[in-house]
């Protein structure tokens, strides 16, 4: 069982002392109030130093929901016996570069034990210094935070400090935000730790794949949008993103080989409360640590892919391929090369799936170079109908199509000149299972596998 010293008992002891006469004190306590407060200070100082490689501090300057005031920031802190503290971070306040600084700390007794960063630290005090935040506002409407800054704390009430140093909970003395500290493994450098966590978070919640995640609360589902900025909106799956909005800041940390996602505030649905999740790679979900019925998963790849076919910004290019699919591409290369003469050189470039003229098209791109002129890219285009069948998608070939200066007649004629294009059309004219190439949280690259032949897969990458 973890032994947790009760701060309230220490406070009660101090209050009792001040309300009793000296003779009464002798009957109740063996030590003076000052001695007892000094012991409390030593106790919690030792707890802060109990993690040999320091702590990952999940700092929330305020309870707001607006960037950058409501975001969480990961600070790594090592509390030393000489009462120096090493603090490191890498975020927008350091221009997304690694920064570290050393300053002083102590545990003071102010209505309970309080951790005070009592000399200026270029990392931690960026959240409490009253200065204008340089990356906010613009030339027309500059934000002037002079006199306030972010508005965070540099003194924290020690709320909870187990004897086994498995965690610590601090509460901002002014703002009242709760900030969790978890130990950092020995042998891990602070720079490597931050790069590891940030790389994982950038992969799982990337702004370059603007989809949503799905949060399951027992039998209820919610959408989680905008997670890439660290303050996602969580609302009922069939609800309204604005009317039902609920912003929930979070941070990711690492303990051992596991990545943890923890929201600043508990999320409440019916009679259930959840706050912390651990990533389960075998299931590709963030699983709530205290409730098996609650988890976060990425979007359905089939739904996501179909949705991109209505957006001009998406262009799915062949990325990797099985041997069977590679044979079609190789035949395409060989045929275009064989078409070349001493004066004209043909080269196959690539094939993509994209939207044109409101239709999904397979676009075969090749270049033509005449004598010493610069090579010119051109394409032939073939329309498909695409439908979703549960977790699968089906392509049905329609016809050659005119796109820009490339005519349907030219596309039809190319089918006889380059038979491999027919093979490519036949390949796509079937049903596929579809999944993320790596994780459903990042759908920039997807994998298509024919349901009739799982050895003929191909991956598509959005460019």
């Amino acid at each position: 069982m973890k032994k947790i010293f009760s701060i309230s008992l220490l406070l009660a002891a101090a209050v009792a002392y001040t309300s009793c006469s000296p003779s009464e004190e002798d009957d109740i306590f063996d030590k003076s109030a000052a001695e007892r407060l000094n012991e409390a200070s030593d106790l919690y100082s030792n707890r802060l130093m109990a993690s040999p490689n320091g702590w990952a501090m999940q700092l929330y300057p305020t309870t707001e929901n607006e960037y950058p005031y409501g975001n969480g920031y990961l600070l790594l802190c090592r509390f030393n016996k000489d009462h120096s503290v090493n603090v490191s971070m890498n975020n927008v306040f350091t221009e997304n570069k690694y920064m570290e600084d050393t300053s002083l700390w102590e545990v003071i007794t102010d209505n309970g034990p309080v951790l005070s960063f009592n000399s200026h630290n270029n990392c931690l005090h960026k959240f409490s210094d009253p200065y204008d935040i340089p990356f906010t506002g613009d030339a027309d409407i500059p934000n002037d935070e002079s006199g306030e800054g972010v508005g965070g704390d540099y003194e924290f009430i020690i709320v909870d400090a187990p004897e086994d140093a498995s965690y610590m909970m601090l509460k901002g003395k002014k703002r009242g935000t709760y900030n969790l500290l978890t130990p950092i493994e020995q042998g891990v450098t602070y720079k490597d730790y931050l790069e590891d966590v940030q790389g994982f978070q950038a992969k799982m919640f990337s702004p370059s794949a603007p989809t949503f995640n799905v949060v399951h609360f027992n039998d209820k589902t919610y959408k989680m949008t905008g997670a890439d900025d660290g303050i996602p909106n969580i609302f009922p799956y069939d609800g309204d993103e604005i009317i039902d909005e609920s912003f929930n800041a979070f941070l990711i940390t690492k303990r051992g080989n596991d990545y943890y996602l923890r929201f600043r505030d508990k999320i409440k649905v019916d009679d259930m409360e959840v706050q912390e999740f651990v990533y389960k790679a075998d299931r590709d979900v963030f699983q709530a640590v205290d409730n098996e019925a609650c988890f976060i998963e990425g979007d359905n790849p089939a739904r996501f892919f179909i949705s991109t076919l209505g957006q001009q910004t998406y262009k799915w290019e062949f990325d990797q391929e099985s041997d069977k699919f590679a044979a079609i591409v190789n035949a395409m290369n060989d045929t275009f090369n064989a078409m070349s003469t001493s004066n004209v050189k043909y080269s196959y470039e690539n094939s993509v799936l994209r939207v044109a003229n409101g239709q999904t098209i397979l676009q075969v791109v090749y270049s033509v170079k005449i004598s010493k002129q610069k090579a010119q890219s051109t394409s032939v285009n073939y329309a498909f109908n695409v439908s979703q069948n549960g977790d699968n998608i089906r392509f049905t070939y329609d016809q050659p199509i005119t796109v820009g200066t490339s005519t349907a007649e030219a596309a039809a004629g190319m089918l006889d000149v380059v038979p491999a294009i027919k093979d490519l059309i036949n390949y796509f004219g079937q049903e596929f299972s579809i999944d993320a190439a790596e994780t459903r949280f990042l759908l920039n690259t997807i994998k298509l596998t024919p349901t009739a032949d799982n050895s003929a897969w191909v991956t598509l990458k959005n460019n």
Side-chain angles (χ1 to χ4, degrees):
M1 176 180 290
K2 296 177 182 177
K3 298 179 181 177
I4 302 177
F5 287 75
S6 172
I7 295 171
S8 60
L9 290 177
L10 291 171
L11 291 174
V15 172
Y17 169 75
T18 58
S19 63
C20 297
S21 66
S23 60
E24 291 173 321
E25 179 203 355
D26 292 338
D27 294 336
I28 301 174
F29 299 111
D30 294 329
K31 300 176 182 178
S32 68
E35 289 175 316
R36 291 192 298 276
L37 290 174
N38 285 336
E39 287 184 352
S41 176
D42 291 341
L43 170 67
Y44 288 101
S45 294
N46 288 331
R47 294 290 167 83
L48 285 163
M49 294 183 288
S51 178
N53 199 25
W55 307 84
M57 179 182 186
Q58 300 178 43
L59 175 67
Y60 290 97
T62 74
T63 57
E64 296 181 35
N65 290 322
E66 296 294 328
Y67 169 87
Y69 314 96
N71 288 79
Y73 300 92
L74 190 58
L75 278 66
L76 308 186
C77 308
R78 183 186 296 106
F79 299 91
N80 305 309
K81 290 184 178 180
D82 63 358
H83 279 263
S84 64
V85 56
N86 311 115
V87 184
S88 300
M89 68 182 189
N90 184 341
N91 52 50
V92 291
F93 287 90
T94 65
E95 298 180 348
N96 296 309
K97 299 176 183 177
Y98 179 77
M99 174 184 283
E100 58 184 25
D101 194 23
T102 300
S103 57
L104 298 176
W105 68 279
E106 67 175 326
V107 175
I108 61 177
T109 50
D110 181 8
N111 292 326
V114 173
L115 167 62
S116 175
F117 291 82
N118 58 351
S119 72
H120 192 271
N121 188 289
N122 285 325
C123 291
L124 185 128
H125 282 86
K126 284 188 180 293
F127 304 101
S128 58
D129 284 348
Y131 74 111
D132 180 63
I133 303 172
F135 54 83
T136 59
D138 53 40
D140 297 325
I141 310 175
N143 288 1
D144 182 5
E145 300 94 355
S146 299
E148 182 178 356
V150 182
D153 285 287
Y154 62 89
E155 290 188 330
F156 302 87
I157 300 168
I158 300 176
V159 176
D160 200 355
E163 186 178 15
D164 64 0
S166 57
Y167 71 92
M168 293 190 75
M169 182 64 75
L170 307 180
K171 182 180 180 181
K173 186 178 176 182
K174 178 175 64 175
R175 289 294 189 178
T177 59
Y178 286 88
N179 307 277
L180 179 67
L181 275 65
T182 51
I184 300 172
E185 280 191 301
Q186 294 191 61
V188 177
T189 68
Y190 282 9
K191 186 176 182 180
D192 288 344
Y193 181 97
L194 290 171
E195 288 179 353
D196 185 348
V197 170
Q198 290 172 342
F200 176 80
Q201 183 163 342
K203 179 180 74 173
M204 305 304 279
F205 304 106
S206 171
S208 65
T211 180
F212 57 82
N213 308 127
V214 182
V215 189
H216 296 263
F217 299 98
N218 287 325
D219 58 346
K220 294 185 176 180
T221 55
Y222 286 66
K223 286 183 180 178
M224 185 168 85
T225 62
D228 59 283
D229 69 359
I231 312 180
N233 185 10
I234 300 178
F235 56 96
Y237 194 94
D238 295 323
D240 186 276
E241 189 167 4
I242 297 177
I243 296 175
D244 301 316
E245 69 182 18
S246 174
F247 292 100
N248 301 268
F250 73 90
L251 279 170
I252 288 179
T253 56
K254 190 176 184 182
R255 298 169 224 166
N257 294 320
D258 293 323
Y259 296 94
Y260 287 82
L261 182 157
R262 186 176 187 274
F263 290 101
R264 179 187 65 196
D265 307 306
K266 291 181 179 179
I267 300 175
K268 301 179 181 180
V269 175
D270 297 333
D271 58 350
M272 178 173 53
E273 292 184 344
V274 292
Q275 187 170 17
E276 188 170 49
F277 298 74
V278 59
Y279 181 65
K280 299 292 186 181
D282 58 334
R283 295 168 51 210
D284 194 23
V285 301
F286 286 93
Q287 175 66 57
V289 295
D290 296 325
N291 191 323
E292 292 185 356
C294 182
F295 60 94
I296 305 170
E297 65 177 349
D299 194 5
N300 181 301
R303 189 218 66 81
F304 174 73
F305 180 76
I306 292 292
S307 73
T308 69
L309 298 181
Q311 303 177 43
Q312 296 289 343
T313 55
Y314 274 85
K315 182 175 69 173
W316 294 98
E317 185 173 329
F318 300 151
D319 183 42
Q320 298 179 15
E321 57 221 13
S322 62
D323 290 342
K324 290 185 177 180
F325 190 87
I328 299 175
V329 174
N330 291 338
M332 197 104 63
N333 273 314
D334 293 342
T335 304
F336 275 104
N337 289 336
M339 291 166 56
S340 298
T341 67
S342 58
N343 294 322
V344 182
K345 181 180 179 181
Y346 292 88
S347 298
Y348 169 70
E349 292 187 2
N350 58 34
S351 297
V352 298
L353 290 170
R354 56 181 288 255
V355 176
N357 303 337
Q359 291 183 278
T360 299
I361 64 168
L362 171 65
Q363 185 172 69
V364 178
V365 183
Y366 62 97
S367 65
V368 182
K369 186 177 186 302
I370 301 176
S371 298
K372 296 182 179 180
Q373 297 180 19
K374 186 178 179 180
Q376 299 291 324
S377 289
T378 187
S379 67
V380 283
N381 304 278
Y382 307 91
F384 281 81
N385 296 313
V386 187
S387 59
Q388 182 176 352
N389 181 21
D391 291 337
N392 295 343
I393 58 171
R394 172 171 284 281
F395 290 84
T396 305
Y397 177 58
D398 187 7
Q399 61 184 345
I401 184 174
T402 297
V403 177
T405 59
S406 178
T407 66
E409 290 76 16
M414 190 64 80
L415 293 176
D416 294 325
V417 177
V418 185
I421 295 179
K422 287 184 180 179
D423 295 335
L424 191 62
I425 290 173
N426 290 335
Y427 172 85
F428 275 104
Q430 58 182 315
E431 184 169 297
F432 296 84
S433 64
I434 179 171
D435 208 346
E438 186 175 1
T439 171
R440 290 192 175 199
F441 289 90
L442 181 63
L443 293 176
N444 274 350
T445 306
I446 57 173
K447 183 177 181 180
L448 298 179
T449 304
T451 56
D453 184 359
N454 61 15
S455 66
W457 56 269
V458 63
T459 61
L460 305 178
K461 188 172 184 177
N462 174 45
N463 290 310

